[in-house]
Amino acid sequence: MRWLCVAAAAVVCSSVSWAETARALEAPATSLKPPSIDSFATFPLLQSPELSPDGKQIAARTRVGKETRLVLIDADRPTAPPRLVNVGSKVGVSDLTWAGNHRLLLTVVQSQEVLGLVLPVTRLVVVDLATGQSLVADANSRGFYGGDVLFADPTGTYALVASQDDLFFNPSVKRIDLATGKARLEEKARPDVWDWYVDNDGVVRAGLAYDNRRWTLWYRDKAGEPLRRTRGKVEKAEDSAVDRLVFGRAGTGMIITNERTGRFALYRYDFAAAAVGEPVFEHPEVDISDVIANPITGEVQGVRYEDDRLRIHWLDPDLKKLQAGLDRALPNAINVVQG
């Protein structure tokens, strides 16, 4: 497996050229100057870089004037001119996901007038890197919510997304043919379910609904079983919530919730009993923001959180050792491991 190490602190200004950026990245860390105040007001040169499954390409967002563009970089030749894909000046890209090595899924945000109000709506755009063509997936989606990628098939054939058929409907889960953009219903909408969860095999495992002081989880252990309803109780303040579910074996897994302490932390979870178990990782001062899972097995390898900067607490001892080595080698950068 390849690993991409991004020294994010070294790239702060979108006005510099690619050649200048390459020279800056090659310069010794001691020559880097603190960023100016103006630098904090500019868009970063690269946003949210993602490595392709085969490790050969890096996809990221960038800004050219008022336009958001997709940047593709050859991972073996990082100083070579990048390939730019224009996604237009009237949309923003909030997320990007690889579907195989030759397709990218872009969650785009666009303003739209709804009932006299101008509101943001999301849609899914499929970019075929081989042909350079793009298409809007699930063209019949009519709600705010139309581009949440839950699962991307490793071969790039299909994706599972959550989207609304109407402004007043809850989202259902649809299977998108990435060659045509056509959608097929995978899991019907359910009352108050806004968050759907899919495992690493592409099986819809759960939908989460809130109802006053309780939450309901529609859950199945494996493919072919019907979703069954379990109830959970929010023990603490009204803003207590579930932020993420991670699936393990035989009805077990993990959950990110702020139910116990008011801060989001990672706990073990019994899906059958709807019971939050022992903590896996909790920070004494800040929320955790996400987990990092093995892309093949789904095993949780680390936890992300932010205090004065982005940090990762690795549960995997090999990745913990790798991170420590990178931080020693690049002491003046925020080093993010992506695989």
Side-chain angles (χ1 to χ4, degrees):
M1 178 180 290
R2 293 176 179 233
W3 297 98
L4 168 66
C5 308
V6 181
V11 183
V12 295
C13 182
S14 61
S15 63
V16 299
S17 68
W18 287 100
E20 290 170 329
T21 301
R23 287 196 294 271
L25 290 174
E26 291 171 355
T30 54
S31 69
L32 294 175
K33 297 179 180 179
S36 67
I37 294 175
D38 289 341
S39 295
F40 285 100
T42 64
F43 287 98
L45 182 66
L46 298 178
Q47 294 176 286
S48 304
E50 294 288 342
L51 192 65
S52 61
D54 62 6
K56 294 182 178 181
Q57 298 182 87
I58 304 165
R61 293 171 285 161
T62 192
R63 297 274 295 191
V64 179
K66 294 184 178 180
E67 295 185 347
T68 299
R69 293 192 182 182
L70 185 66
V71 180
L72 293 171
I73 301 169
D74 187 331
D76 292 324
R77 299 186 303 134
T79 59
R83 177 181 172 187
L84 297 179
V85 179
N86 188 10
V87 296
S89 60
K90 295 184 178 180
V91 300
V93 179
S94 65
D95 196 18
L96 61 89
T97 305
W98 284 95
N101 297 307
H102 304 293
R103 283 195 171 105
L104 277 168
L105 310 181
L106 308 182
T107 302
V108 300
V109 184
Q110 187 172 17
S111 296
Q112 182 174 313
E113 185 174 340
V114 179
L115 300 177
L117 300 174
V118 178
L119 300 170
V121 298
T122 62
R123 292 292 179 268
L124 184 66
V125 174
V126 183
V127 180
D128 188 317
L129 301 180
T131 65
Q133 301 298 311
S134 62
L135 57 85
V136 177
D138 190 15
N140 293 326
S141 177
R142 292 291 181 268
F144 298 120
Y145 198 54
D148 188 7
V149 179
L150 305 174
F151 175 82
D153 170 46
T155 69
T157 304
Y158 73 94
L160 298 180
V161 304
S163 70
Q164 293 171 278
D165 287 330
D166 186 89
L167 174 64
F168 302 103
F169 286 7
N170 294 94
S172 59
V173 179
K174 299 174 185 176
R175 181 185 172 111
I176 306 294
D177 183 323
L178 298 181
T180 65
K182 293 183 178 179
R184 186 186 77 196
L185 184 65
E186 186 81 6
E187 195 65 55
K188 68 180 182 180
R190 282 174 167 77
D192 300 317
V193 173
W194 287 94
D195 297 319
W196 287 99
Y197 296 90
V198 176
D199 67 18
N200 264 38
D201 296 321
V203 178
V204 180
R205 295 285 298 277
L208 182 66
Y210 289 97
D211 179 17
N212 296 320
R213 299 286 292 149
R214 298 181 70 88
W215 50 269
T216 297
L217 191 67
W218 295 85
Y219 171 78
R220 60 165 60 96
D221 274 328
K222 57 186 177 181
E225 293 182 350
L227 290 172
R228 62 181 185 273
R229 192 164 54 173
T230 61
R231 302 295 297 274
K233 183 179 180 182
V234 177
E235 299 286 356
K236 202 170 172 56
E238 291 184 1
D239 62 353
S240 293
V242 174
D243 193 56
R244 177 77 183 269
L245 298 172
V246 182
F247 304 104
R249 298 179 180 177
T252 64
M254 297 183 190
I255 189 171
I256 296 178
T257 180
N258 62 350
E259 179 177 306
R260 288 188 178 172
T261 67
R263 291 183 304 275
F264 285 99
L266 181 65
Y267 300 89
R268 301 206 179 275
Y269 187 72
D270 184 329
F271 284 96
V276 178
E278 64 184 19
V280 178
F281 178 78
E282 53 184 344
H283 192 279
E285 296 178 353
V286 299
D287 296 326
I288 69 168
S289 56
D290 203 0
V291 296
I292 302 169
N294 184 296
I296 298 174
T297 66
E299 179 186 2
V300 174
Q301 297 174 304
V303 176
R304 296 181 191 268
Y305 67 93
E306 294 185 35
D307 42 28
D308 58 333
R309 63 179 176 86
L310 172 66
R311 299 183 190 272
I312 298 174
H313 173 83
W314 290 109
L315 304 174
D316 184 301
D318 292 333
L319 290 175
K320 184 176 182 179
K321 183 177 179 180
L322 174 63
Q323 183 77 59
L326 289 172
D327 291 341
R328 285 194 301 269
L330 300 169
N332 296 316
I334 299 173
N335 306 303
V336 180
V337 178
Q338 297 191 8

